[in-house]
Amino acid sequence: YAAAMTGQRDRNERLLEAGLALSSELTLPVILQRIVELAADLTGARYGALGVLSPDGTISEFITAGVTEAERAAIGHIPVGRGILGVLIDDAAPLRLREIAEDPRSVGFPPNHPPMRSFLGAPVSARGRVFGNLYLTEKQDAEAFTDEDERALVMLAGQAGVAIENARLFEEARDRARRLEAVREIATAILDGTNPDEVLGLVARHARELVGADLATLAVPAGPGELVVGAADGVHADELAGSMFPIEGSVSGKVIRTGKTVVLADAAADERVRQPALRAGGIGPALFAPLA
């Protein structure tokens, strides 16, 4: 009994330390990795993972602990959320299994996947919705995870949700500050009578930086039925600046005519090849927005 009480006190202290560690970090990718590592350490799991869910309920990001980079590369694509992983997606409640393979919902593992038997999982919620799920496998000092492991993981998941929400609030505040600074710099340049070409360059640079793009171009009217790349910033900027192209048959032309934003999942596959940025090659997802 005394040993059990001591073990519980130790675990409570580690949970407190985990909460403090998570609250001291505001960078979301670092927090997510730390959550997985803390969960594995707290429960004695050999392997841990956090599956971040996209709006459609599939796994969009898979952060792991205990798996080497070489092992991840050998496994290949991240899980899509089938089998036992999908059980937590469909039913956001803790799940504990002694043997994964014996559960009828299991679909097995892909080639080159490390062997895993015992399992423990719990959802992580932030802002009133499930952000993702924590998955732990291979209890190292026993055949299966315990009730105490499950309670500890649920508590850690609650702490993780708060840390994730705080990190998101911090990122939103930082992004707002960056947008305000961009607007201030551009407005100041206009009021100071800065050369219009330099102002367009500022707009392109800030647009690229704010969305984390490789390239930003700003197309402006150059004559009847024609547009010109008045400013470019990033990859291919030098070769694209000053390029002339027709309004008809280009994505920019459509945006100018309709005044509506166009989003392309793969711009390289778009049939409107008259767009200079698309001719440059190496362009994937793209956003075209009207500048009124």
Side-chain angles (χ1 to χ4, degrees):
Y1 175 77
M5 290 297 294
T6 300
Q8 185 60 45
R9 282 197 300 270
D10 290 344
R11 176 165 279 177
N12 288 342
E13 289 177 2
R14 291 165 68 193
L15 274 168
L16 178 59
E17 292 172 358
L20 292 172
L22 292 176
S23 64
S24 66
E25 179 57 63
L26 291 173
T27 305
L28 188 57
V30 175
I31 284 179
L32 299 184
Q33 185 64 52
R34 191 74 181 109
I35 288 169
V36 179
E37 294 168 353
L38 288 169
D41 179 66
L42 192 65
T43 59
R46 182 180 300 277
Y47 304 108
L50 173 60
V52 180
L53 298 181
S54 62
D56 64 1
T58 58
I59 295 175
S60 61
E61 192 175 354
F62 204 66
I63 300 98
T64 60
V67 180
T68 66
E69 288 298 323
E71 288 173 326
R72 284 202 62 161
I75 293 169
H77 194 277
I78 67 171
V80 295
R82 297 174 59 239
I84 296 302
L85 301 190
V87 173
L88 269 80
I89 296 174
D90 297 333
D91 181 15
L95 177 65
R96 183 157 44 100
L97 302 172
R98 177 178 291 273
E99 179 66 59
I100 296 174
E102 293 178 357
D103 192 286
R105 298 165 294 186
S106 175
V107 294
F109 296 104
N112 304 312
H113 197 285
M116 297 181 180
R117 300 182 62 185
S118 53
F119 176 88
L120 176 62
V124 177
S125 296
R127 296 186 177 181
R129 59 176 290 271
V130 176
F131 174 84
N133 291 300
L134 276 166
Y135 306 111
L136 303 171
T137 59
E138 287 295 285
K139 175 79 171 177
Q140 295 189 75
D141 55 0
E143 291 186 358
F145 294 97
T146 65
D147 290 340
E148 290 76 16
D149 292 331
E150 183 176 325
R151 283 195 289 269
L153 183 61
V154 169
M155 291 181 66
L156 179 65
Q159 295 173 330
V162 173
I164 290 168
E165 184 167 352
N166 288 340
R168 283 179 158 178
L169 290 171
F170 175 76
E171 286 186 349
E172 289 174 2
R174 184 181 58 189
D175 288 345
R176 280 196 299 270
R178 291 173 62 206
R179 289 196 297 271
L180 289 172
E181 175 58 25
V183 171
R184 184 202 64 76
E185 186 176 348
I186 293 167
T188 300
I190 293 171
L191 293 173
D192 285 347
T194 302
N195 183 290
D197 289 339
E198 292 184 29
V199 175
L200 292 183
L202 278 177
V203 174
R205 176 169 63 82
H206 282 298
R208 184 185 65 78
E209 292 175 349
L210 287 173
V211 301
D214 293 320
L215 168 69
T217 62
L218 206 158
V220 295
E226 294 286 321
L227 296 172
V228 62
V229 178
D233 189 86
V235 180
H236 302 304
D238 291 340
E239 61 187 273
L240 291 174
S243 298
M244 302 280 292
F245 63 103
I247 292 178
E248 190 64 33
S250 66
V251 186
S252 292
K254 178 180 179 180
V255 171
I256 288 175
R257 285 196 308 271
T258 63
K260 295 181 179 180
T261 298
V262 172
V263 180
L264 302 177
D266 183 5
D270 193 85
E271 70 279 3
R272 289 161 288 195
V273 294
R274 293 184 177 182
Q275 192 73 32
L278 306 190
R279 292 201 306 267
I283 305 297
L287 172 76
F288 297 81
L291 180 62

